[in-house]
Amino acid sequence: MRVSSQGVTVVALLADPDAPTEIAQRMARILPTRLADKSGQRRKFHVEVVSEPFTAGTDDPPTLMRLIMDRGRAENWDIVVGLTDLPLHSHGRKLVVDLSHEHGLALLSLPPLGGLRLQTRARRAVEEAVLSLAGLRAIGAEGPPRSQPFLGPFVSRLAPVHPGQVGVEETADLRYVVSGPRGHLRVLVGMVRANRPWRLVPGLSKALAAALATGAVATVNSTIWSLAETLSAPRLVIAMVGSVALMVGWLIVDAQLWHRSTEASPEARQRARLYNASTVMTVGIGVLVCYGGLIVINLVWALFIINGRVFASVTRTPLHAAEYLTLSWFVASVATVGGALGSGLESDEAIRAAAYSKREQERRQMLQGDHDDY
């Protein structure tokens, strides 16, 4: 392993913008100490975080590994770990990590780590990668490790991780992939986590304002009272599903979040399906959070404004807790439809983060802007 004159191993975390950069910055605070403790050889590590859209031009793992290698040589880094939130594919399988022990490189795709404890899993994966690369290079060895496989951070019943095929001409000498329905589900959940659906809610301020106004009016409407009392639980569920689906569909269409692949390859079609599925799930989670908030707000408003005797005279039903909940539930569905109309006033930037294709476009523009500066 090449070590700087001060006896410090320089580790660079080359991270895509947004979630990968945030994860890299958080782990960089404690990574040097943890690496020094785990190495057991009194080594010192210096960790740098570089945020740039290195995946903007391609999502081909061999090409990305060459880009990381060239970047590391240009900056004179000892070890380079690339972090991306893109789902990468290799020979029809979903890539977890690529390692090159000869060159001290690693490429880690975050979605296969799943949606829970992502920060911890990513940190463990980077630690194992760096220690594996540093250990082999220290003794002048080449090729993948033979004694202890690089599987620790990924092994679980829900993630069937196994070694993947590596081409002869590739920079990587060790690859792990995930496959099967469980692996596909884990990647999809990881993509939704990378989309950060909770950030969608503040971005829908105008839609929420329209929904709240609709709900406030509907709550004091006697026709809505009568309809709510006549609807059974299955019909209320259908109304909820229909209104949420309408809102999700309108947001995706209005912001042009649906990804259409321009390539005919199986991997491109698979990538498009993953992108669209993660977008639907992300927007759906955001809309459901808004829907739950509408129920609570409508309930509070109904408790404050509705007169029990007037309600009973119109519906011929006493106003009890069940009636309050039923009315709030139905009004939330009506208000969500009104919010869909208000969502047309939102800017694309408000919900752009819900789609991988949009983020890729932004990263390409960012990369092009950087090139234009030189």
Side-chain angles (χ1 to χ4, degrees), residues 205-208 210-211 247 250 336-346:
S205 57
K206 295 178 181 178
L208 285 172
M247 182 71 152
W250 176 250
T336 300
V337 175
L341 301 177
S343 67
L345 303 174
E346 302 288 352

Side-chain angles (χ1 to χ4, degrees), residues 300-321:
V300 173
W301 175 242
L303 288 170
F304 173 76
I305 201 68
I306 296 179
N307 183 282
R309 286 178 293 181
V310 175
F311 183 90
S313 66
V314 172
T315 63
R316 300 181 184 277
T317 303
L319 185 58
H320 299 304

Side-chain angles (χ1 to χ4, degrees), residues 228-300:
E229 286 304 308
T230 58
L231 291 177
S232 61
R235 289 190 175 185
L236 288 170
V237 172
I238 292 173
M240 177 184 69
V241 173
S243 62
V244 170
L246 177 64
M247 182 71 152
V248 171
W250 176 250
L251 286 172
I252 292 175
V253 171
D254 183 61
Q256 299 179 352
L257 300 182
W258 196 257
H259 179 70
R260 293 179 175 85
S261 176
T262 57
E263 304 175 19
S265 64
E267 289 189 355
R269 291 195 297 268
Q270 186 181 30
R271 182 172 61 251
R273 288 193 294 268
L274 274 174
Y275 280 11
N276 292 328
S278 66
T279 297
V280 171
M281 290 181 64
T282 301
V283 177
I285 291 173
V287 172
L288 283 173
V289 171
C290 294
Y291 189 93
L294 287 173
I295 291 179
V296 174
I297 294 173
N298 291 333
L299 179 59
V300 173

